[in-house]
């Protein structure tokens, strides 16, 4: 799929800091340890509605991962998918009497514009589920052949399911107990009560064709792919395993990332799928998680239409720590606009305080599990200094502006 245009990323002077990130599977902040090329897969949108600030916050968190790795001289191989065929998309198209293909194309196009406006560095490969069907079919064929997958005993709809015990280590990514897994599986797209499965937790790999639903001919029979295998196959075939970071929002910890990992590990016989499983907290509105199904949304595109500076939106979302569930409020945006104005005022001066120490602190804080509240506070301190006491260093404002651009993606 066509991706979007990346903003330029300036190189900055001084010592980069390696990136440490919280890994859900081990429950620790651990160093990332990429080779010359760092591999990252971030779960993309299901394009049935516009990008809201929850999505944006998650993609901004991983954009910082990308930026810190680049600062460390790594080439970053970033892969993202688009779930352009799945139940929620088909249901919305049906509800609105829309063509599901047109709906997906429209919302994906809007997402690209939103990401570009927010100055998110584009993935190197942006891959739709539909275009990946041949590789997904091949993966499912292998899982069936080695006994990791099976067909349900249903002559009319012999759908293919994954035996969740196939790898012998199911549950290591989320660390949830069976009861929690079963509850979340039911709440997040799973079908624990489907008759004919060997176990309620087994996940759908291939759904045989149903009247009125899109389907594709394949050696598995006419049908369409399940959700988790899409991300397994797309990541595996482009990044190989293990890759450095599997990312998404915390609503993907289970079942999605647990199954994506289990499918891929059953396919390769190797573990782990990813070295770090990294999850962003949920952005809420009015006390609830912002979600398409609840409809309590603030769209990035609406803020753009109101001519809100996207750099302020970035700063508002980065003001909280990426792992915290946190609310979006009008006040958050107002404070971000004030911050942006202060920073712009400070870097617009021909001289200012020396910025080397501030840039070092910025790097330290970002390297420490993307501690943006502290990183932003360090820039605040420099900017307050610049606008109150001034300073005589002509390189200060230039260096600070470049660092804020390269590391935080904010254009001053
Ligand atoms: N297509 C799948 C992933 S393969 C999917 O979850 N799509 S989505 O459109 O529902 O979400 C896209 C990304 O935004 C996911 O990483 C999801 O975890 C994240 N996300 C969704 N809602 C929020 C929210 N309220 N706050 C933060 N992140 C969110
Ligand atoms: Zn995914």
């Amino acid at each position: 799929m066509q991706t979007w245009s990346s903003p330029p990323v300036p190189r900055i002077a001084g010592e980069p800091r390696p990136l440490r990130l919280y890994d859900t599977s081990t429950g620790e902040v651990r160093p990332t340890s990429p080779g010359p090329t760092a591999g990252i897969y971030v779960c993309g949108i299901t394009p049935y509605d516009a990008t809201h600030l929850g999505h944006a916050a998650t993609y901004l968190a991983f954009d910082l991962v990308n930026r810190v790795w680049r600062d460390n001289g790594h080439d970053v191989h970033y892969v993202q998918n688009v779930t352009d065929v799945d139940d929620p998309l088909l249901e919305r198209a049906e509800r609105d009497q829309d063509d599901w293909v047109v709906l997906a194309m429209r919302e994906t196009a809007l997402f690209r514009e939103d990401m570009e406006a927010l100055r998110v560095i584009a993935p190197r490969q942006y891959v739709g589920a539909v275009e990946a069907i041949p590789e997904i079919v091949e993966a499912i064929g292998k899982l069936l052949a080695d006994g990791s997958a099976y067909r349900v005993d249903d002559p009319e709809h012999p759908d293919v399911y994954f035996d969740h015990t196939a790898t012998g280590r199911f549950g290591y990514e989320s660390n949830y107990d069976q009861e929690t897994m079963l509850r979340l599986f039911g709440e997040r797209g799973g079908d624990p009560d489907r008759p004919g499965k060997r176990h309620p937790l087994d996940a759908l790999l291939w759904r045989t064709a149903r009247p009125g639903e899109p389907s594709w001919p394949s050696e598995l029979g006419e049908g369409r792919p399940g959700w988790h295998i899409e991300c397994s196959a797309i990541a595996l075939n482009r990044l190989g395993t293990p890759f450095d970071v599997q990312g998404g929002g915390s609503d993907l910890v289970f079942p999605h990332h647990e199954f994506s990992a289990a499918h891929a590990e059953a396919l390769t016989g190797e573990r782990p799928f990813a070295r770090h499983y990294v999850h962003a907290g949920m952005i809420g509105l009015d006390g609830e998680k912002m979600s398409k199904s609840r409809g309590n949304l603030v769209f990035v595109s609406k803020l753009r239409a109101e001519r809100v500076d996207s750099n302020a939106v970035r700063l508002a979302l980065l003001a909280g720590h990426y792992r915290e569930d946190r609310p979006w409020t009008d006040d958050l945006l107002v404070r971000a606009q004030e911050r942006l104005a202060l920073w712009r005022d400070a870097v617009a001066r021909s001289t200012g305080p020396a910025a080397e120490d501030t840039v070092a602190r910025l790097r330290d804080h970002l390297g420490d599990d993307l501690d943006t509240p502290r990183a932003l506070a360090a820039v605040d301190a420099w900017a307050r200094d610049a606008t109150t006491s001034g300073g005589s260093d002509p390189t200060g404002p230039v260096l600070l502006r470049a660092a804020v651009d390269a590391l935080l993606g904010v254009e001053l």
Side-chain angles (χ1 to χ4, degrees), residues 44-46 54-55 58-59 83 227 249 251 256 281-283 290 292:
I45 54 163
T46 305
H55 303 134
T58 290
Y59 297 114
T83 307
W227 174 28
D251 56 343
H256 187 54
M282 291 291 111
I283 300 296
M290 204 180 272
K292 288 179 279 204

Side-chain angles (χ1 to χ4, degrees), residues 11 34-40 65-66 68-78 124 239 244:
R11 291 222 54 86
T37 299
I40 177 167
V65 171
N66 194 338
V68 174
W69 275 342
R70 283 168 182 247
D71 188 40
N72 278 275
H74 299 291
D75 170 42
V76 180
H77 187 172
Y78 179 8
R124 183 170 296 172
L239 296 171
D244 295 291

